[in-house]
Amino acid sequence: MTETVDLLELASTAVAASISAGTIIRQYAKQFDEQIYQCSVDKNQNNRVDVKFMGSTRAKADGTLVTDADSAAQFIIVGALRQISKSIRIVSEEDRESSGRYQGFSQSSLAKISQKVYHTIDSTRREANVAQYNNEEILVEPSRISVFVDPLDGTNQYAKGNYGSVSTLVGIVVDNEPIFGVICKPFGQESSIFTGGNRNSDEVFTLYGGILTKGVHVYGHREKIPKRKIETPKAVISSSRSNGIVRQCIDFLHDQGSLAKDPALVSGAGEKGLRLVIGVFDEAAWLFPLPGTSLWDVAASDAILSAIGGKLTNRLGENIDYSPDRKNTDNNYGIVAASTVELHALCLKAYQSVTMTAS
């Protein structure tokens, strides 16, 4: 008998595993905070933090950082996905790192969360009378599935004790099309979605959805997130990328009346993708038409944006290639993403106009 994978089960497990990993990431951070406090008091007799990175931080072969929290989160997420199928393709930022072993999380809790999410997804699909991914298409062969995992996006900030932009990302792709994504914020998220605008930093905040679910949800809420009303769309970019071609594109769009002049400066690919969906400052465009991101950075956002009428492509307007035929995972043609297809088209036009002028 040919093996098949239940996509709803895989999606709900991805959410549950991300939440479990987020809880562990918080636990590691708590230990780090305690160590920093003790170190500061002993050395300087004040509360200033003089330690650059947490003790478990180490450099990978490519020069980027990894911590014990990355490895623990990797172990939880990949292990949970492998319980669903040992044959699906899983691509993760920490593939070359030892996933180690971590027993400090509850398998029963993960199962309960997964069950709850499965019920929400299934109910939403039935209410929406989803035509695509009908009952026959819910069960698919594992060779058609790829899952992209970034167990801890924003490791550099995390290792310094800055947790606001830290996230866990999981994107599920079927036949090279992103169908479901998870963006999990271990340290909470400021949002007006269901929370009255308060920042809930006492628990993990998780956004999930895609065309598989016909909408986007926040974990703990059965209803889909409402469509945002954006008065003046704003770009969301990294402060280190606020000049050059990125700045020129923003200025071009501002002159056309399409974007605010000043972008929101935030770190982390997951945080940027999240802002396009539930941002509190009219964030609506992610302009990064340069190399520097990988498939696991964008797969989740790609899936979620498609469910709310947004779009994510490379700078040429081409869909991201997630296929196994790719020889590497780098997005060499950059990323252009927006909360609406109309704004996305304007962003592409801005890039084309700016580069033509420069040449």
Side-chain angles (χ1 to χ4, degrees):
M1 180 179 294
T2 303
E3 179 191 357
T4 58
V5 176
D6 184 329
L7 292 177
L8 298 190
E9 185 178 12
L10 183 65
S12 57
T13 297
V15 175
S18 297
I19 293 173
S20 297
T23 302
I24 299 307
I25 290 170
R26 287 175 64 96
Q27 290 181 13
Y28 273 98
K30 183 178 180 182
Q31 297 170 8
F32 172 47
D33 287 342
E34 290 172 349
Q35 292 169 7
I36 284 292
Y37 177 79
Q38 187 67 47
C39 178
S40 297
V41 170
D42 285 351
K43 289 188 175 182
N44 295 323
Q45 300 301 317
N46 58 41
N47 292 324
R48 294 185 63 188
V49 176
D50 291 329
V51 180
K52 284 188 175 181
F53 301 112
M54 64 170 64
S56 65
T57 304
R58 54 196 180 277
K60 295 187 291 186
D62 62 2
T64 59
L65 299 180
V66 66
T67 69
D68 287 348
D70 293 74
S71 300
Q74 164 95 358
F75 171 71
I76 293 169
I77 296 171
V78 173
L81 296 174
R82 287 295 181 212
Q83 289 293 317
I84 303 301
S85 172
K86 297 187 183 304
S87 304
I88 59 175
R89 173 185 175 229
I90 299 178
V91 182
S92 174
E93 182 174 14
E94 309 309 332
D95 273 345
R96 296 181 181 178
E97 285 289 313
S98 170
S99 60
R101 293 293 181 271
Y102 188 86
Q103 304 300 329
F105 75 102
S106 170
Q107 289 281 6
S108 61
S109 175
L110 190 153
K112 288 179 181 178
I113 295 172
S114 179
Q115 209 170 42
K116 182 177 180 180
V117 174
Y118 188 103
H119 177 72
T120 299
I121 294 175
D122 189 50
S123 298
T124 302
R125 283 173 46 81
R126 292 178 185 277
E127 291 171 2
N129 191 24
V130 177
Q132 192 174 14
Y133 292 104
N134 54 31
N135 290 335
E136 290 76 19
E137 280 295 297
I138 287 301
L139 301 177
V140 303
E141 294 181 8
S143 60
R144 297 171 56 190
I145 302 172
S146 296
V147 184
F148 295 87
V149 179
D150 190 342
L152 202 165
D153 180 55
T155 299
N156 283 345
Q157 294 300 312
Y158 179 77
K160 297 175 183 177
N162 303 324
Y163 306 131
S165 60
V166 171
S167 62
T168 294
L169 308 174
V170 181
I172 299 176
V173 176
V174 175
D175 297 335
N176 210 27
E177 180 180 18
I179 65 163
F180 187 83
V182 184
I183 303 177
C184 177
K185 295 294 297 296
F187 301 93
Q189 176 68 25
E190 184 177 354
S191 172
S192 59
I193 304 295
F194 307 131
T195 63
N198 295 324
R199 183 178 181 85
N200 186 355
S201 59
D202 295 328
E203 59 185 52
V204 175
F205 178 96
T206 306
L207 187 80
Y208 65 89
I211 61 172
L212 176 68
T213 60
K214 203 63 176 182
V216 180
H217 293 265
V218 170
Y219 176 73
H221 298 271
R222 186 178 180 278
E223 63 269 36
K224 293 186 292 186
I225 65 169
K227 189 174 181 62
R228 283 195 300 156
K229 294 181 179 179
I230 299 177
E231 295 183 4
T232 305
K234 179 177 291 189
V236 55
I237 62 175
S238 299
S239 57
S240 61
R241 304 290 185 175
S242 58
N243 296 310
I245 187 70
V246 174
R247 179 72 256 180
Q248 292 172 41
C249 287
I250 293 174
D251 288 342
F252 180 92
L253 288 163
H254 173 67
D255 292 341
Q256 299 293 316
S258 302
L259 272 188
K261 181 175 179 61
D262 297 321
L265 303 179
V266 299
S267 300
E271 177 70 8
K272 293 181 182 70
L274 188 70
R275 294 286 188 100
L276 299 191
V277 183
I278 62 168
V280 295
F281 302 111
D282 287 347
E283 301 96 327
W286 174 12
L287 287 162
F288 189 63
L290 302 165
T293 63
S294 300
L295 297 181
W296 49 73
D297 291 318
V298 302
S301 295
D302 197 349
I304 291 172
L305 283 170
S306 68
I308 65 166
K311 194 167 185 177
L312 185 152
T313 67
N314 65 21
R315 69 191 184 206
L316 304 178
E318 301 169 338
N319 292 332
I320 304 300
D321 180 13
Y322 297 99
S323 69
D325 298 332
R326 284 194 56 164
K327 295 182 179 180
N328 61 63
T329 58
D330 299 328
N331 297 317
N332 292 323
Y333 290 101
I335 292 299
V336 175
S339 57
T340 67
V341 293
E342 294 81 8
L343 181 57
H344 179 269
L346 291 173
C347 290
L348 289 178
K349 182 179 178 181
Y351 172 75
Q352 294 164 0
S353 298
V354 168
T355 52
M356 285 181 62
T357 302
S359 61

